[in-house]
Amino acid sequence: MILKIRDEKKYALMRNRVFKHMLKTRGWKYRAFLRYLRFFKYAAFAPTRGEFLESYYVLMRFLDDVVDGDAPLPEGYLNESDYILEKIRFSKNMINPKDEVDYLILYCFELAEKFGEDFQTETEDILNSLLFDAKRRGKMIIFSKKKLMHHFHLLDIRGTIRATLKVFKDDPDKYELLEPLGVACRYQYDIEDIEADLAAGYVNISQEDCALFHILDEDLIAPLSLKIKKWMHQRAKDGLELLKEHHRRLHLGHFSLLERWTFLLVYEFPARKVFKKILLETKKS
């Protein structure tokens, strides 16, 4: 589908609005990543792929912020679940766009067509993962490790990593080799966002870990409790082991130099920094 001039204006409006929101609410977290996305356009001599990567990131980041309550729910929807369900439906047929998000989805898919890729499967994975979050928001439900890992596998590994590999013109099925890196990043987010997640009613501590660390309901409303600090300490130790496993597997994928630098700078370094910081802070605990 070729976007008309008026459609491109709606896309530009949407992206600029999301950029401002992202930098206002969590600028510390997004600025470095956005700088890398723009650098990629020139380092890889791939402006179209770079434009897609930047636009796709903005799209998914905005939807995630709506689900988490960091961005207001657009008018006309009963709740976040209805909103994400509508976006899942639109991403499958892309007929009659209703708002700026729909136009941004169209724009991303059109960019993908220009470099011969299709991100339908990856988009469905990520949106279904966001739907899982939307349905559990505010409910403080404690899920099994298997259920949580299925959710995070769709989001952080099968969805996000497959999409990244396609942008790099690599085999998306290599995502399985990068699973340790994807899980390590999930552990990083679990640690970084523990207070915000629990405040929003998300429990990313599994039933098994709650039993292991004797975490009770009263601990979940006090995210800096000693029991949760012990869980975070173990999460950080496990995360560092996952990064070691990532390096043991990395050579099997014959990844390009640009890919390896991306894995290192965008994913591994931030995760390692968080793990070491938490281990230092929770050592006495």
Side-chain angles (χ1 to χ4, degrees):
M1 177 182 294
I2 302 301
L3 294 181
K4 299 175 183 178
I5 292 176
R6 64 177 182 273
D7 299 342
E8 291 181 349
K9 287 182 178 179
K10 289 187 178 182
Y11 154 72
L13 177 65
M14 168 64 188
R15 194 171 73 162
N16 290 339
R17 184 161 66 90
V18 175
F19 269 144
K20 290 179 181 178
H21 166 76
M22 289 164 61
L23 295 178
K24 181 179 179 181
T25 58
R26 290 187 175 186
W28 60 272
K29 191 172 185 179
Y30 301 142
R31 278 194 179 91
F33 196 75
L34 289 171
R35 279 198 298 268
Y36 169 77
L37 294 180
R38 287 164 180 168
F39 166 77
F40 170 80
K41 293 183 185 180
Y42 305 103
F45 299 102
T48 303
R49 291 172 184 270
E51 177 72 11
F52 168 83
L53 190 58
E54 183 177 317
S55 301
Y56 197 69
Y57 175 75
V58 168
L59 167 66
M60 295 306 175
R61 185 71 265 166
F62 177 76
L63 293 174
D64 183 62
D65 282 352
V66 170
V67 168
D68 290 344
D70 293 326
L73 178 68
E75 294 182 4
Y77 298 93
L78 294 175
N79 51 48
E80 291 78 12
S81 296
D82 284 348
Y83 179 69
I84 296 299
L85 277 170
E86 201 278 329
K87 298 311 164 193
I88 290 173
R89 286 192 290 268
F90 179 78
S91 71
K92 292 180 179 180
N93 56 45
M94 293 183 288
I95 298 174
N96 299 324
K98 296 180 180 179
D99 56 22
E100 293 100 329
V101 168
D102 290 346
Y103 283 99
L104 191 48
I105 292 172
L106 283 170
Y107 184 74
C108 288
F109 277 64
E110 182 183 296
L111 286 172
E113 285 181 11
K114 289 181 179 179
F115 56 87
E117 289 290 358
D118 180 347
F119 291 85
Q120 188 74 51
T121 300
E122 292 75 21
T123 299
E124 187 172 351
D125 279 345
I126 295 171
L127 292 182
N128 275 310
S129 179
L130 294 179
L131 180 62
F132 174 78
D133 273 349
K135 288 180 177 179
R136 68 186 178 123
R137 183 184 174 193
K139 297 181 179 177
M140 298 297 285
I141 301 172
I142 304 174
F143 292 94
S144 68
K145 184 178 295 185
K146 181 179 179 181
K147 180 72 172 179
L148 285 175
M149 283 309 300
H150 172 73
H151 161 60
F152 295 137
H153 183 85
L154 289 181
L155 176 64
D156 297 316
I157 301 170
R158 201 172 80 184
T160 303
I161 292 180
R162 276 181 60 93
T164 302
L165 290 172
K166 283 186 175 182
V167 171
F168 280 111
K169 297 188 286 188
D170 206 341
D171 181 2
D173 288 337
K174 288 184 183 179
Y175 78 92
E176 293 181 345
L177 291 174
L178 297 169
E179 186 169 0
L181 180 62
V183 176
C185 288
R186 168 46 45 189
Y187 286 6
Q188 171 201 346
Y189 305 146
D190 286 346
I191 292 170
E192 279 186 320
D193 299 336
I194 184 69
E195 292 184 72
D197 285 344
L198 289 174
Y202 299 121
V203 182
N204 290 326
I205 307 173
S206 68
Q207 294 170 352
E208 294 87 343
D209 280 351
C210 283
L212 180 63
F213 292 93
H214 308 289
I215 296 172
L216 306 175
D217 289 345
E218 52 262 38
D219 298 304
L220 297 176
I221 60 174
L224 297 181
S225 70
L226 181 60
K227 294 175 184 178
I228 290 185
K229 284 184 177 179
K230 288 182 177 179
W231 174 80
M232 292 167 65
H233 183 90
Q234 187 61 50
R235 210 64 162 170
K237 287 177 65 177
D238 293 343
L240 289 175
E241 288 301 315
L242 284 164
L243 293 180
K244 289 180 182 178
E245 177 62 23
H246 165 64
H247 281 279
R248 284 192 287 267
R249 293 190 187 190
L250 192 58
H251 73 281
L252 299 175
H254 304 289
F255 296 107
S256 69
L257 180 61
L258 187 57
E259 284 177 300
R260 294 199 302 273
W261 273 105
T262 299
F263 303 151
L264 185 68
L265 296 175
V266 178
Y267 300 106
E268 181 180 343
F269 274 3
R272 189 179 298 278
K273 182 179 179 181
V274 168
F275 297 150
K276 289 187 174 181
K277 180 175 181 288
I278 287 298
L279 288 175
L280 185 62
E281 290 177 353
T282 60
K283 187 176 182 180
K284 291 183 180 180
S285 301

